[in-house]
Amino acid sequence: MREEKWVFFFGKGRAEGDASMRDLLGGKGANLHEMTRLGIPVPPGFTISTQACVYYLEKEGWPPGLENQVKEHMTRLEEVMGRGFGHKNHPLLVSVRSGARVSMPGMMDTILNLGLNDESVEGLALVTDNPRFAYDSYRRLLQMFGEVVRGIPHQRFEHQLEEVKRAGGLTQDVELTAQDLSEVIERYKEVFQREGASFPQEPWEQLREAIEAVFRSWNNERARTYRRIHDIPDHWGTAVNIQAMVFGNLGEDSGTGVCFTRNPATGEKGLFGEFLPNAQGEDVVAGIRTPLSISGLCEWMPQVYQELVDLAQLLERHYRDMQDMEFTIERGKLYILQTRSGKRTVRAAIRIAVEMVEEGIIDRATALLRVDPEQLRQILHPDIDPSAVYCVIAQGLPASPGAASGKAVFSAQEAEEWAARGEKVILVRQETSPEDIGGMDAAQGILTARGGITSHAAVVARGMGKCCVVGCDALIINEEEGYFLAEGVRINRGEIITLNGSTGEVIQGEVPLVEADPGPYFNRLMEWADSVRTLKVRANVDTPENAVLARKLGAEGIGLCRTEHMFFEKDRINVVREMILAETTQERKKALTQLLPMQKEDFKGIFRAMEGLPVTIRLLDPPLHEFLPKTLQEIEAFSRERGIPLEKVQEKVTRLHEFNPMLGLRGCRLGILFPEIYQMQVRAIFEAACELVKEGVDVRPEVMVPLVAHVKEMRILRDLIEKEALAVMKEQGVKVGYLIGTMIELPRAALTADEIAQEAEFFSFGTNDLTQTTLGISRDDAAKFLPQYVEMGIYSKNPFSCLEEEGVGQLIETGVVKGRNTRHNIKLGICGEHGGDPTSIRFCHRMGLDYVSCSPFRIPTARLAAAQARVREDLMKWEEEAA
Amino acid sequence: MREEKWVFFFGKGRAEGDASMRDLLGGKGANLHEMTRLGIPVPPGFTISTQACVYYLEKEGWPPGLENQVKEHMTRLEEVMGRGFGHKNHPLLVSVRSGARVSMPGMMDTILNLGLNDESVEGLALVTDNPRFAYDSYRRLLQMFGEVVRGIPHQRFEHQLEEVKRAGGLTQDVELTAQDLSEVIERYKEVFQREGASFPQEPWEQLREAIEAVFRSWNNERARTYRRIHDIPDHWGTAVNIQAMVFGNLGEDSGTGVCFTRNPATGEKGLFGEFLPNAQGEDVVAGIRTPLSISGLCEWMPQVYQELVDLAQLLERHYRDMQDMEFTIERGKLYILQTRSGKRTVRAAIRIAVEMVEEGIIDRATALLRVDPEQLRQILHPDIDPSAVYCVIAQGLPASPGAASGKAVFSAQEAEEWAARGEKVILVRQETSPEDIGGMDAAQGILTARGGITSHAAVVARGMGKCCVVGCDALIINEEEGYFLAEGVRINRGEIITLNGSTGEVIQGEVPLVEADPGPYFNRLMEWADSVRTLKVRANVDTPENAVLARKLGAEGIGLCRTEHMFFEKDRINVVREMILAETTQERKKALTQLLPMQKEDFKGIFRAMEGLPVTIRLLDPPLHEFLPKTLQEIEAFSRERGIPLEKVQEKVTRLHEFNPMLGLRGCRLGILFPEIYQMQVRAIFEAACELVKEGVDVRPEVMVPLVAHVKEMRILRDLIEKEALAVMKEQGVKVGYLIGTMIELPRAALTADEIAQEAEFFSFGTNDLTQTTLGISRDDAAKFLPQYVEMGIYSKNPFSCLEEEGVGQLIETGVVKGRNTRHNIKLGICGEHGGDPTSIRFCHRMGLDYVSCSPFRIPTARLAAAQARVREDLMKWEEEAA
């Protein structure tokens, strides 16, 4: 019987494996083989297969033949490298790395410099003419071997290193001399002794034990837990990669560097990078010598430079993407240690993608996939200058993107007053309330200590397109005295702070910003996106100004116009409150009559801005107590102003209090209990529409009922809406085409979508609330445990940012299927926060929705994500057809 | 072509229709035909089919032949009755009634005495020798015809009647003389004139218009709305029943009465009822003459009495149930006007059911269906004496059944002090909190102004089996000064009130109560129930005492033991608070160590009481802030007592505040963030179990993880539980069989039950929370709109009392199917409030669950309901097989 092949060689342009052998060679191994095949000069080596690992763990011993195969391949490696494993003068050193099918934290990572011992370290010192390097390499081997193979705690070694540094009055590792390192080596050996462990001087013994340690690390507790959580089968096992080490510090014909195939900041074509002659990769990172620009290499070693240029082109064409390469020149011979797709700014990503299409390297579909839609907002908002250095004093939730600097103020009134005299201000509040609208509008940015990414402050700020950081728990804010404390730093009223709404950072002082400027490459890419995507993109918008902005950013209608935000405006909120405090329907109607013309004017502005496009207006949704004054002062002020007895206001506030307002008297429940509220809103919509139709404007209202759980709610309210709409159109003598539909935002609505579709011409999935109820998580309270949940991998992402597909998605699918079953042409969309999230948009595309709706500055993101979803779908179809 | 048959005759022992012809003759019509066929002497008449109505409404005219058929049948009726329709001396009077397939409010009900006019009223006066009766009959005809056929508002007629009464100084209708009524008739005619309407003197014209009015009433707005909400098709139409009127006041050989075939209060066999000679049914109701006992009839008209006895037996045997009959004797001839199953007390229902089985009238299965499980609690708790008269001053929610009287006290301390000196007290609170436990225990009953049927007060009271009324909104309670106001009545500290926890009534003063005594018939019935049912019944119980009680009431294990209730006890709550306030895991563990022995003792008591039966223990579930002191006083007291700085307590309370605690940091989220809490609880469970096993006790713990949404939560906690359980068993050197499972109480859990079942050996559907999240309704806030929703028919019942099957039930079904798919022998149960609701239990049986779990006093209800579910299922199977 032939013995099984456990070991696979790569080197000198030939490899026994390739990229397709991921299961057997692990991800890292398969890539090393692939690069070698391409003719890329990677340091040679060999891979022990995952099957060997599985055998070892099952049978608790080496598989038959493995030892011989390792020896044979090491011999081959020695030949290729011209050095001997364990040779005292010219030692061949190797690295040993684990590598499973998928990258997996918790497993053994790396042992470097394996093959060194007390004897060969001296040989290495001689041959490199660099004793410091040789001793440092040996010291690292000792430490890594001790930790990984012998399980000696990390601190034992670190402690000794610190001791030596302290003795020498040193603070940095790089300051250690060869002699110091020699001392460290001795101390490390004592650590081994004290721990009752040995460090094998015999390189073969080192290798044997390192390989076994990698095998065993597959089953250590952290790795097992990780697999259990991520559903990775235990029987996969890990491969082991053994690769020759090369050195760039063997003299003046050696060196090391990193380079990009295009400029990662701007996207401009051409080799971009830096290198250091006679140096190791580590030296570049440590920054003790200033690296030369890559063009310096051209002068110094023109052939090597040309080889690098050729390899860069080869790699770019092969991987069809801009590459970030690490290289080492060992005695005139170029090695590519690593190549990977290069990280780049979004600006560069766009330019590279567009230019690569022009160069014929990639097609448009691929170009569309090359830009992270999530990052587009960086070029739509002012951003912190990437080169700026600044001091972050607190971290909150990134609620509305962009950056802004201004003087800290602690009340809406202050914000308005200071802004009126030309000051730039940042409004800092415990949390915002409807009264603060004016101040929020006047401020450059908003910072709150409480609330989640869908709190009042966050929602309003996104609507305004204004930078906002919320839920910054660490802040201790004293609004009365006008200061806040953050991690010991005190910021007084009038001191400048800067917010980064894209990251949630709160920064002391002013920071230079760069203005938004998407540029011509962006426009080209967006055109391509629009021509590909099938999913329409609408905007969540509540004001005429934002409707104009949204249209400019590419909105194809409004998917969610929240009428309640109109109620919050300064001159209206008190009328709204009178409406709520009304004791009789008559009184309530009186207040509603005052609101009618205000709402109508808003609707007219919005309809006009969206001429020819659909506008979905949601009837009143939030619990009424949200509109009432909250603090005693606010209550007193309101009582005084409107001449309503204090006790009456207080009693109503108490009476409207809810334990779980999310699940309380809100949404269509308001419309059913107080039909006159919805009647007023419907009247405002249709009076606005009729008046515009008379002016010749093409108006397309879609009236949306929130929080429906039962078809009967929808039936009752549909009757109400139709009746009122008809009455208005009759009065005005004009006909307006319109739709009536509902949010699907409760599990019961999705589960009974077949019935609800009898009464609804469109569904808009309200994924914020649907996520809250399906998962049983209140967004506003989630900060107490959701971050830990995501960290532990229970949910892979925050389900309020990225749609949770298995549960919430299952309900959406039920809603889509059942809805279409009843009404085949039902219009389907999504209007939660997820409407602007690329992964969620991909899901929406897969579900066959008609549109997504998101806040204005998210629209380009959604357009690109929708195009990507379509491209990915096509790719999958091709793959299926090919298979 | 033969003309369609629209009219169907019944009378003289023969009928053209029968009970099966409900669709054509309507419910009421089909029953009249059936009774006639049985030989029951019902007043004869005829039915116009629903098809005639449909034709009339569609074609807007009478169907061809209907008029002739009506005339023919009227002639037949005249012959049978020996009177003439419109005859001036011996007028045949008829009633006209609508009757659709199902009973439907909103449609026209009844016109009586049709056929009278100015002339024949005199004939009737003569022939009955009762002018007052004749005029009153005519006056009623005028009014009913005016209202129903002519649409004249009710008040117009009532106003005239009042005028005449006022003029005569009368207060009651019965005081009106013949002359007065004659005056009323004249005034009624003027009403017709003023309204521009006519009253047809021609009886045929009366009949024609009355029939059309019934037809049209099918389409009036109230009827249409009702159909729309209840999904009744518009094309059904209504039938019209025309029936001869008979009179018991035509002399000394006439009379009228009502009787039951058995005693409706006790169930004793034998005719029971009363009658009045020479009188009309109305006279019995009006109470102007004292009716005679039914035995009086035996002396007065022995033959008629014997006929009635025979008919009673016939009807009881035919309908196989105790009957409530209305009869009239017209000139020696007995007519049965109506028979229906008689209403009875639950005590009577049980006895009748059991005795009818013994008499061979019904089988055991039918007997089981004859008792309303819901009413069983009436005989398990003290109840208000049915004969008592009392003054209800407020109405709250019936949170825990039974009745109790006592002196009102307004704090837990007062309750304990007063009870200690032998006073019976009722604890009246705004809402209760954990501190009140002692006072609640000391009180006879609990009354709160806030909170729903699952508030703290309600849950604790049910656990204690103590009468409780909650959410009594109308109360204005002043706890400090010690009084409350209810609808203007002021109750001071120490004044006696009575609560009815089964109805929610709050009563001023003391009311006589009857003690609980289920009796021998009850035990027989429950034996039958237990032998039939397949669904097991467990108890929701948190204390050893209640476990004993539950077992006595028939519990077959514990389905839900809420460990947090143990935390609320006086001597423990402060330790719990210290645990919550702990800044480090170390500090928290210290507090937990104090709690461990306490929990262990509880578990031992419960395990012992439930020896040999499964005990499901739920790990900590509620948000931690529920345990913290709430008011400033409580906070100060706690801070003082335990020497913890006030600010620290306050800060923690603020920090733990949640916007929607229902959806916040609770359930297994606590166990994941603070594993040491669950570790302590698991340790307490297994130390208790091991110690008992050593004593030879058969212990069967089932550890239940609450609020799981994702299989990964379950995986992490399953690992934790197993590890701790194993550790304890190893320490103790004992093995205990146990299960680990979870609540399914979030939509996501039900939707991914296939995955969760990988880690759970049982599911317990937590339908309280599942209803809250599926429907998006917070129980605690639902009182603001849910009553109106139920009234409007949006939900047919309160979904927190009776499981909402379409949405919540759909999720349970998904959970059952997916759960069994993964683990075919997974144990399935339900432990929400619905576990004790008969309709919900039927659903659970249909879903194939293994058990339901409910509070102890609900157990007999659940046992009977489970038996009924099984019986109904068998019936359906037989029907299917027969078909």
Side-chain angles (χ1 to χ4, degrees), chain A residues 228-229 713 755 789 806, chain B residues 712-713 715 755 789 806:
Chain A
R228 199 155 152 68
I229 289 173
E713 297 172 309
E755 298 186 353
Y789 260 49
E806 218 182 347
Chain B
K712 288 180 185 168
E713 296 171 310
R715 202 167 280 163
E755 298 186 352
Y789 260 49
E806 217 182 347

Side-chain angles (χ1 to χ4, degrees), chain B residues 718-852:
Chain B
R718 186 195 170 80
D719 286 353
L720 177 150
I721 294 165
E722 277 179 345
K723 216 167 171 177
E724 195 70 28
L726 235 66
V728 174
M729 291 191 287
K730 208 170 159 189
E731 287 164 26
Q732 303 262 340
V734 171
K735 276 205 169 179
V736 181
Y738 66 97
L739 299 179
I740 299 176
T742 182
M743 304 271 282
I744 300 286
E745 53 186 336
L746 292 174
R748 195 185 185 285
L751 291 165
T752 62
D754 43 351
E755 298 186 352
I756 293 174
Q758 290 167 8
E759 308 290 338
E761 287 153 325
F762 65 87
F763 285 170
S764 179
F765 291 95
T767 48
N768 293 348
D769 280 5
L770 194 59
T771 301
Q772 294 198 87
T773 45
T774 307
L775 272 50
I777 300 178
S778 155
R779 277 175 312 201
D780 291 330
D781 304 308
K784 291 199 171 67
F785 61 93
L786 203 52
Q788 287 95 318
Y789 260 49
V790 173
E791 206 175 293
M792 292 172 81
I794 294 175
Y795 291 108
S796 55
K797 285 183 175 183
N798 180 334
F800 294 110
S801 308
C802 183
L803 196 112
E804 191 281 304
E805 296 186 13
E806 217 182 347
V808 181
Q810 194 179 144
L811 283 177
I812 291 177
E813 187 166 9
T814 301
V816 167
V817 171
K818 289 192 169 182
R820 287 227 169 96
N821 232 14
T822 298
R823 190 187 288 265
H824 75 277
N825 64 345
I826 191 166
K827 208 189 256 196
L828 301 171
I830 178 182
C831 65
E833 294 288 319
H834 303 95
D837 169 64
T839 314
S840 312
I841 289 171
R842 193 174 169 190
F843 174 83
C844 293
H845 176 83
R846 216 162 60 231
M847 287 297 111
L849 299 194
D850 296 303
Y851 68 87
V852 297

Side-chain angles (χ1 to χ4, degrees), chain B residues 357-369:
Chain B
V357 171
E358 287 165 355
E359 294 163 27
I361 298 177
I362 56 175
D363 58 13
R364 285 185 182 183
T366 309
L368 288 169
L369 295 178

Side-chain angles (χ1 to χ4, degrees), chain A residues 437 456 458-465 539-550 557-569 572 598-599 601-607 609-610 615-618 704 831 853-856:
Chain A
I437 293 269
H456 176 262
V459 170
V460 172
R462 277 198 296 278
M464 292 176 171
N540 296 351
V541 142
D542 314 326
T543 63
E545 306 81 64
N546 274 340
V548 171
L549 170 69
I558 290 178
L560 178 61
C561 173
R562 282 168 284 232
T563 50
E564 56 268 24
H565 289 167
M566 304 174 180
F567 282 11
F568 280 131
E569 283 188 30
R572 303 176 184 184
M598 303 175 183
Q599 286 233 307
E601 276 318 300
D602 287 328
F603 291 142
K604 280 178 87 167
I606 290 170
F607 284 144
M610 283 287 161
V615 175
T616 305
I617 296 168
R618 179 176 73 184
M704 182 155 75
C831 65
S853 190
C854 55
S855 53

